[in-house]
Amino acid sequence: MIDVLMIEDDPELARIIIKYLAKFDINVTNAEDPYIGLSKLEIGNYKLLILDLTLPGMDGLELLRKIRKISDIPVIISSARDDIVDKVVGLERGADDYLPKPYNPRELEARIKSILRRHNKSDEKKEREKKLFEVNEEGMMITFKGHQLPLTPAEFDILSNLIKHKNGVVSRADIIYQSEFINDDSSFKNVDVMVSKIRSKIAKYDPDHTYIKSVRGVGYQLLCPLQKS
C-alpha cells in the first residue's frame, strides 16, 4: 500500500481520486485546508504529495515553498491554473510534475507510480554512495564498501578531508595545512605520493573505478564513482 497525501479543497474531486486510486493500492489522505495539510505532512509517513494550487488561506505555490523547507517528498501539482508561469515556478520550487485539470485519474495513477520509481532509484543510489565510505573520526578509521582501509594517520586525514568535500576540489595546500600528521614543510609531491597509496588501497576492493580524481594544478576531488578513462 502506497500512502499519499493530497491537499485539495474540492471535496467531490477528492472523493473521486481517493476511490479510484484505492483500486491500485494507493491510499490517499486528503486535507482541504493547506495548514492542516502541512501539519499532516509533518507527522505522517507519506510517499508522495498531490498539491492543488488554488487553496483557501494560502496559495499552493507558497505552500510548496514551505513544504520544501521540511520535506523532500515527491510532489505532483494538480491545478486548473494553466498559466505557464505557475508551472515554471512550481517546478522551480521543487515540484516533480505538473498535471493540469481536468485529467483522467488513470493518468494520475500512472504519474504517481512513475515518479515513485524514479525517486526510489534515486534513494537507492544515494544509499549506495553513502555506504561507499564511512568515517569513524574518533577511531581514525575509514571503511570502503564495508572493508576497513589500512590507512596511516596522514592518509586518514587526506581521505576524510576529501570525503567531507565530496565532488568538491581540495587543494594540495589545504591537504597539508588541515592535517595534524603532515609536516607543514612537506612538498606537494609528498601529498601526491600519499594520495597514490590511498588509491591503491581503495583499488584492492574496487579495481574497476577511480574515486580520487586529480585536478591539474590544484589538488584532488573525490567522486562516487568515476569510471576509469
Side-chain angles (χ1 to χ4, degrees):
M1 183 69 71
I2 301 170
D3 290 316
V4 169
L5 176 63
M6 180 165 59
I7 304 177
E8 169 61 65
D9 68 337
D10 183 338
E12 182 59 30
L13 176 60
R15 280 193 293 271
I16 292 172
I17 293 174
I18 290 170
K19 183 177 179 179
Y20 182 83
L21 293 181
K23 300 176 184 178
F24 300 92
D25 290 328
I26 300 175
N27 178 45
V28 179
T29 299
N30 186 53
E32 296 182 18
D33 181 276
Y35 294 97
I36 293 176
L38 195 60
S39 297
K40 286 181 178 292
L41 180 61
E42 289 181 304
I43 63 177
N45 185 24
Y46 301 101
K47 299 298 183 183
L48 182 137
L49 172 65
I50 302 168
L51 176 64
D52 187 19
L53 292 187
T54 306
L55 296 167
M58 186 189 309
D59 185 78
L61 292 174
E62 175 62 18
L63 179 58
L64 178 58
R65 187 182 64 81
K66 293 180 180 294
I67 287 168
R68 279 294 171 249
K69 289 183 178 181
I70 63 170
S71 175
D72 62 354
I73 186 172
V75 175
I76 296 177
I77 290 178
S78 163
S79 178
R81 286 157 44 174
D82 58 0
D83 189 335
I84 187 63
V85 174
D86 286 333
K87 182 175 182 179
V88 170
V89 172
L91 295 173
E92 287 179 342
R93 291 191 178 181
D96 296 83
D97 203 349
Y98 193 104
L99 187 58
K101 297 176 182 176
Y103 55 81
N104 189 313
R106 178 70 181 84
E107 182 179 3
L108 176 61
E109 181 265 337
R111 294 198 185 201
I112 288 172
K113 291 188 174 177
S114 175
I115 288 171
L116 289 179
R117 281 196 298 270
R118 295 199 306 269
H119 196 264
N120 290 338
K121 287 180 181 179
S122 176
D123 284 348
E124 290 170 3
K125 181 180 178 182
K126 289 178 182 177
E127 188 65 21
R128 287 196 302 270
E129 289 189 356
K130 184 176 70 174
K131 290 182 177 179
L132 281 176
F133 294 97
E134 294 184 6
V135 181
N136 180 337
E137 294 281 358
E138 291 184 1
M140 294 190 67
M141 294 184 298
I142 297 177
T143 59
F144 172 72
K145 293 188 174 182
H147 302 282
Q148 183 177 331
L149 297 173
L151 303 172
T152 66
E155 290 168 355
F156 170 85
D157 278 354
I158 293 172
L159 184 54
S160 62
N161 196 354
L162 291 172
I163 292 170
K164 289 174 185 176
H165 297 86
K166 188 177 74 171
N167 296 323
V169 179
V170 181
S171 71
R172 290 176 175 84
D174 283 342
I175 287 174
I176 292 172
Y177 298 143
Q178 293 177 16
S179 173
E180 298 179 11
F181 301 97
I182 302 177
N183 191 300
D184 288 350
D185 296 327
S186 294
S187 68
F188 288 174
K189 181 64 177 177
N190 289 342
V191 172
D192 294 339
V193 171
M194 285 185 280
V195 169
S196 178
K197 290 180 179 178
I198 296 170
R199 282 173 168 160
S200 297
K201 293 173 182 180
I202 293 172
K204 178 181 178 181
Y205 301 106
D206 186 354
D208 297 322
H209 297 90
T210 295
Y211 291 88
I212 301 177
K213 174 188 175 183
S214 299
V215 180
R216 185 182 297 275
V218 181
Y220 293 95
Q221 180 182 27
L222 183 74
L223 301 177
C224 297
L226 176 70
Q227 294 285 350
K228 285 182 177 179
S229 57

